[in-house]
Amino acid sequence: DAGVIQSPRHEVTEMGQEVTLRCKPISGHNSLFWYRQTMMRGLELLIYFNNNVPIDDSGMPEDRFSAKMPNASFSTLKIQPSEPRDSAVYFCASRLGQISYEQYFGPGTRLTVT
Amino acid sequence: TQLLEQSPQFLSIQEGENLTVYCNSSSVFSSLQWYRQEPGEGPVLLVTVVTGGEVKKLKRLTFQFGDARKDSSLHITAAQPGDTGLYLCAGAGAGGTSYGKLTFGQGTILTVHP
């Protein structure tokens, strides 16, 4: 049974470049979450979708960040232009339904912006 | 904004010792979850507690949800090196704009020495 799949696992890019992170949620799950984890701030929710619709993007730090979910099996988080302070591990998580609060996390993408 | 304070931040103990991690908030949560995260991986759900005063046991791990559903604790008996990792508590919003969202504590890094 495949879990949440994220790609790439590691990304190193230069300041100013566009970065796109990808996520495939668990099949049948209809909620998807993007988180960012740093030592300083811990695990922060950036945005979440229910049935492919963005519900709450209040955690998205700036207009440089955008997220899409074109269908139930794919989501992207884009940073344009990237900055060194965006360096972090980005996690995608999915959840079955709205009654269950249990989220299943992917392995994360470690982003380094130089 | 709902906040969860987790303590201690770091815990370094010898194999066989007992330990307790605390998670406190001034907000009420509809449920509270505990996750364990290993380096290079995403958080993995250990348990969900829903009812105030609820106690759940998972082998050597005991989880408790406060009567007022504002706090929780994780107790590990006879810790083993395999318990080493980052432990995260996460509270589920009770309603309104918080519905469906998890608020994570900062985490407790546990190291168990053989």
Side-chain angles (χ1 to χ4, degrees):
Chain A
D1 207 14
V4 175
I5 298 172
Q6 289 187 249
S7 65
R9 291 295 310 275
H10 301 274
E11 177 80 42
V12 180
T13 190
E14 291 183 348
M15 182 174 63
Q17 296 298 307
E18 177 180 296
V19 175
T20 299
L21 311 181
R22 297 172 176 80
C23 174
K24 177 178 169 55
I26 293 173
S27 178
H29 283 195
N30 57 9
S31 294
L32 183 140
F33 304 79
W34 282 102
Y35 291 90
R36 178 171 67 176
Q37 187 175 42
T38 61
M39 284 294 293
M40 289 295 294
R41 300 174 67 90
L43 199 59
E44 303 173 279
L45 176 65
L46 300 177
I47 184 171
Y48 81 94
F49 297 82
N50 276 345
N51 296 316
N52 313 340
V53 176
I55 300 301
D56 187 340
D57 64 355
S58 59
M60 296 286 262
E62 298 171 33
D63 290 345
R64 299 184 295 107
F65 285 69
S66 62
K68 292 182 179 179
M69 192 164 186
N71 57 63
S73 58
F74 184 66
S75 177
T76 59
L77 178 67
K78 186 178 292 186
I79 308 172
Q80 166 63 20
S82 59
E83 296 182 4
R85 60 190 167 128
D86 301 331
S87 297
V89 181
Y90 291 81
F91 288 102
C92 175
S94 69
R95 182 185 71 192
L96 175 64
Q98 294 192 42
I99 297 176
S100 167
Y101 287 105
E102 299 173 6
Q103 298 184 16
Y104 296 84
F105 284 78
T109 296
R110 180 173 293 278
L111 173 65
T112 303
V113 183
T114 61
Chain B
T1 303
Q2 297 182 303
L3 294 175
L4 266 174
E5 294 199 6
Q6 203 171 327
S7 62
Q9 246 185 306
F10 301 94
L11 204 47
S12 180
I13 62 173
Q14 292 297 126
E15 183 175 0
E17 292 183 12
N18 301 331
L19 66 111
T20 302
V21 178
Y22 299 93
C23 189
N24 296 293
S25 176
S26 57
S27 303
V28 174
F29 293 100
S30 59
S31 68
L32 198 135
Q33 302 174 9
W34 285 92
Y35 290 81
R36 179 165 168 263
Q37 184 178 12
E38 296 194 33
E41 299 181 9
V44 175
L45 181 67
L46 294 174
V47 77
T48 301
V49 284
V50 179
T51 307
E54 182 176 2
V55 176
K56 279 192 174 178
K57 290 193 175 184
L58 190 65
K59 296 183 181 178
R60 295 176 293 101
L61 278 61
T62 302
F63 305 86
Q64 186 162 7
F65 201 11
D67 291 340
R69 291 187 289 138
K70 293 182 179 181
D71 56 87
S72 181
S73 65
L74 157 61
H75 182 79
I76 300 179
T77 303
Q80 298 177 1
D83 296 327
T84 294
L86 172 66
Y87 289 81
L88 295 158
C89 63
T97 57
S98 298
Y99 185 81
K101 293 167 63 171
L102 287 180
T103 299
F104 280 85
Q106 286 290 92
T108 295
I109 297 176
L110 170 65
T111 304
V112 182
H113 302 279

